[in-house]
Amino acid sequence: MHELSIATAIVEQAGELARADGTDSVSAVTVRVGELAGVVPEALDFAFEVARDGTALATARLVVERVPARAWCEPCAEEFPVGVPPFFWCPGCDRPAPTLRSGRELEITGIEPAPARP
């Protein structure tokens, strides 16, 4: 399950970003996961729960934003979904469209600091 190594990297990077912002704990981490990134969001969520234990993200939740895979057809000047498994054939002009516009993302897009304790 490579999601565990990805979750571990997310926890490490989010912890570093939080420390750089002067925060010692995090309540949520938002990540964008592309449809073709090769990551199962449910497995990533489970792995995140394991990886966060004993860290500044011990109680943090993982928010996964799923990004659909979309390709670009130059002749039609249109974007279209490619699905899974991907099919890079333009539905408009019935020609191959090899330009992938989205769907391979795997990135941290936000960190929510934990509320300050009184």
Side-chain angles (χ1 to χ4, degrees):
M1 174 166 79
H2 73 282
E3 281 83 356
L4 183 56
S5 62
I6 294 169
T8 301
I10 290 170
V11 168
E12 290 172 359
Q13 289 179 5
E16 289 174 14
L17 291 169
R19 284 188 295 280
D21 284 344
T23 303
D24 61 353
S25 63
V26 174
S27 65
V29 178
T30 303
V31 295
R32 294 183 60 189
V33 177
E35 188 174 28
L36 301 177
V39 175
V40 177
E42 294 79 12
L44 180 60
D45 192 49
F46 176 77
F48 181 79
E49 289 183 22
V50 172
R52 73 182 182 181
D53 193 40
T55 71
L57 286 82
T59 60
R61 60 190 164 79
L62 183 66
V63 178
V64 176
E65 296 176 349
R66 296 176 187 221
V67 180
R70 298 190 61 83
W72 174 256
C73 177
E74 187 69 37
C76 292
E78 293 289 331
E79 195 175 87
F80 62 93
V82 298
V84 176
F87 187 67
F88 293 94
W89 207 262
C90 178
C93 67
D94 201 31
R95 292 194 278 186
T99 304
L100 186 65
R101 284 258 173 115
S102 66
R104 305 256 334 172
E105 297 83 354
L106 181 54
E107 59 190 355
I108 296 172
T109 59
I111 297 172
E112 185 178 313
R117 295 182 190 144

